[in-house]
Amino acid sequence: MKKLRQGSRIVSFSQKSGRAGTCAALFHLICIWEGHVVSIARTDALPVYTDMTEAELVDHARLGERGAFGAIMQRCNQPLFRVARAITSDDSEAEDVVQESYLRAFAALAKFRGDSTLLTWLTRITINEARGRLRGRKTTVALAEVEVAQKNGSLVIPFRGEHVMENPEAEFARTQIRALIENAVDELPEPFRLVFVLRDIQGYSVDEAASSLGIKPETVKTRLHRARRQLRTQLNEVFDSTVNDAFPFLGQRCERINQKVLAMLSKNDICRGI
């Protein structure tokens, strides 16, 4: 019988037990090293990236873990796409911008110091990437040239939140309204459009938007006010031209009430025939 002494504990094993007994004894010795039970982590347990904080995701991504990168993109895809779309005004190019921005950001993840949120950092990279693509291809419109003389007011559009589709007609109408709003937003100059997307669509605070764009909070407020005024003008023109078509009662609804009334008339012998 051999004995190994560690601290106040004695671990013994029999030579007759062979290699298996030796390995078991050594494993036990490791577990009680210096009188403390060591927690042995399961090697098959995988990290739950969706439950991680932003800082934890960054740490895991710096280790090159695929799941961490995927979780970051899952959280940031929509806001970054909206920002890229606000600059490029093109869905396909906005997707390319987001993809390239991720590649640049992840390659330089070691430079992320955490002075701002990860989304704010990624937003800056996305803005720079999108503007870089447009540079030299499109002339920037001066803000003074797009001022719209109009009464004070603001446009409040409920972009956020979810709804339940009551029926196909309501969903179709909602889709049309969304298309009108998106087209109007596309017509805004880029400085106004970016601020509007960040504040009214993404829900950024004034300070968050200012940090993302590298401008003063007062500038954010001014541009948002002007963006809302211009959108109000554009949408009023659209709605004024279509107000006479409001509350349509056509198609299936019209035919349905006709059939119901005719059926009741026939039942009461008020009308006859097919």
Side-chain angles (χ1 to χ4, degrees):
M1 178 75 68
K2 288 187 178 181
K3 296 184 179 180
L4 296 178
R5 179 178 293 275
Q6 177 60 42
S8 61
R9 295 182 181 232
I10 297 177
V11 178
S12 63
F13 61 94
S14 173
Q15 289 180 324
K16 296 180 181 180
S17 60
R19 182 179 298 175
T22 302
C23 291
L26 289 176
F27 180 81
H28 182 64
L29 177 62
I30 293 173
C31 290
I32 61 173
W33 186 259
E34 293 184 351
H36 298 287
V37 177
V38 180
S39 177
I40 307 299
R42 291 183 58 185
T43 57
D44 59 343
L46 297 176
V48 182
Y49 298 105
T50 54
D51 296 338
M52 291 184 181
T53 64
E54 179 180 282
E56 290 172 336
L57 279 178
V58 171
D59 289 340
H60 282 265
R62 283 171 174 162
L63 296 176
E65 296 180 20
R66 181 185 182 91
F69 289 120
I72 290 172
M73 289 187 286
Q74 190 69 28
R75 294 183 186 184
C76 301
N77 275 343
Q78 178 161 291
L80 295 183
F81 172 79
R82 284 172 168 172
V83 168
R85 178 66 172 72
I87 297 175
T88 63
S89 299
D90 181 86
D91 286 2
S92 179
E93 188 163 12
E95 289 184 21
D96 290 342
V97 167
V98 173
Q99 177 179 301
E100 185 63 28
S101 298
Y102 276 135
L103 293 175
R104 292 178 182 275
F106 290 155
L109 197 57
K111 298 180 181 179
F112 176 65
R113 300 190 303 271
D115 297 336
S116 63
T117 66
L118 181 63
L119 179 57
T120 298
W121 185 66
L122 290 172
T123 298
R124 291 176 190 152
I125 294 174
T126 301
I127 291 173
N128 290 335
E129 175 65 23
R131 284 177 170 170
R133 291 187 177 219
L134 296 182
R135 192 173 294 117
R137 191 186 75 182
K138 182 178 178 181
T139 304
T140 302
V141 179
L143 297 183
E145 297 177 11
V146 295
E147 265 300 297
V148 179
Q150 189 180 350
K151 296 179 181 179
N152 291 335
S154 62
L155 176 67
V156 179
I157 304 173
F159 280 91
R160 298 182 295 277
E162 297 184 355
H163 60 270
V164 178
M165 184 176 69
E166 300 88 353
N167 56 64
E169 291 177 344
E171 179 65 16
F172 178 70
R174 187 177 290 106
T175 300
Q176 286 185 309
I177 293 174
R178 184 170 60 247
L180 288 174
I181 294 172
E182 289 176 351
N183 290 336
V185 172
D186 283 343
E187 293 299 319
L188 291 173
E190 182 197 296
F192 295 169
R193 190 166 62 243
L194 265 177
V195 169
F196 181 81
V197 168
L198 291 178
R199 287 282 288 118
D200 280 1
I201 298 181
Q202 284 303 119
Y204 280 30
S205 67
V206 172
D207 290 338
E208 288 173 334
S211 176
S212 297
L213 299 173
I215 57 180
K216 297 179 180 179
E218 293 75 14
T219 305
V220 170
K221 296 177 182 178
T222 299
R223 291 183 182 180
L224 178 61
H225 178 67
R226 293 176 178 176
R228 287 173 171 172
R229 287 170 54 189
Q230 185 164 337
L231 278 175
R232 188 184 201 61
T233 299
Q234 293 173 334
L235 291 175
N236 278 345
E237 292 174 356
V238 173
F239 291 143
D240 287 344
S241 65
T242 58
V243 68
N244 291 333
D245 296 327
F247 305 110
F249 195 80
L250 304 170
Q252 293 182 355
R253 290 196 300 173
C254 180
E255 181 64 21
R256 184 170 60 248
I257 195 172
N258 288 351
Q259 294 302 320
K260 285 184 176 180
V261 172
L262 289 173
M264 293 177 67
L265 292 175
S266 297
K267 182 178 179 180
N268 295 324
D269 295 326
I270 297 177
C271 74
R272 297 178 178 80
I274 301 175

